[in-house]
Amino acid sequence: MYRSLRALALLLLAVCWLAAPLPAWAESVDLGVITVKDKALAESLRQKLLKGESFENLARVNSVGSTAQRGGRLGIVPEERLRSEYRQALKGLKPGQPSAVVPTEEGYNLLMRFDQTPVAAAPKAPPAAGA
């Protein structure tokens, strides 16, 4: 009997953990991608981005990717749908910061997050006396 209850409790705990929704910022990313065929060009573009040049302008002029005309913007994409190289490059990447150059079979890619960093919720005030 004790084993059955323990197994049921563990099962319920696992189901609750798996069913718990992740914060929206952990599930998706507002992403931009610049794809070029030359690694040196990718590195040069990254340096320009680090100096503050516009991602969208650089994408329109240089990218050979399908999103070039949209300034490299993919839009909001679920992270689980991204290729593993992109997910790895996005780890720890702050919004507005270009990724390192990511080589793929399409070419050399630069990623940028456009989403906002989540803001911690303000602590709730204690209830007023007599409330």
Side-chain angles (χ1 to χ4, degrees):
M1 174 80 172
Y2 175 73
R3 277 185 158 173
S4 298
L5 288 175
R6 183 175 175 201
L8 181 60
L10 288 173
L11 178 63
L12 286 173
L13 181 63
V15 167
C16 289
W17 181 76
L18 290 172
L22 293 173
W25 56 267
E27 294 177 356
S28 60
V29 59
D30 188 0
L31 186 63
V33 180
I34 296 175
T35 303
V36 295
K37 296 295 182 181
D38 182 68
K39 185 176 182 180
L41 176 58
E43 292 291 351
S44 171
L45 293 173
R46 184 172 190 275
Q47 291 307 312
K48 289 179 180 185
L49 290 168
L50 288 169
K51 292 178 182 174
E53 288 198 36
S54 165
F55 183 93
E56 288 89 347
N57 289 343
L58 290 173
R60 282 186 193 97
V61 172
N62 298 282
S63 185
V64 296
S66 61
T67 61
Q69 294 305 313
R70 293 192 312 263
R73 299 292 293 261
L74 285 175
I76 298 174
V77 181
E79 286 189 22
E80 69 268 7
R81 290 196 177 173
L82 295 174
R83 58 189 322 147
S84 62
E85 298 97 333
Y86 286 7
R87 285 194 307 268
Q88 186 64 32
L90 289 171
K91 285 185 182 176
L93 193 66
K94 296 178 181 142
Q97 175 185 11
S99 71
V101 174
V102 180
T104 63
E105 57 275 354
E106 287 87 23
Y108 298 92
N109 306 275
L110 292 167
L111 309 177
M112 186 170 289
R113 297 182 77 121
F114 292 98
D115 50 326
Q116 298 298 312
T117 312
V119 178
K124 291 185 179 180

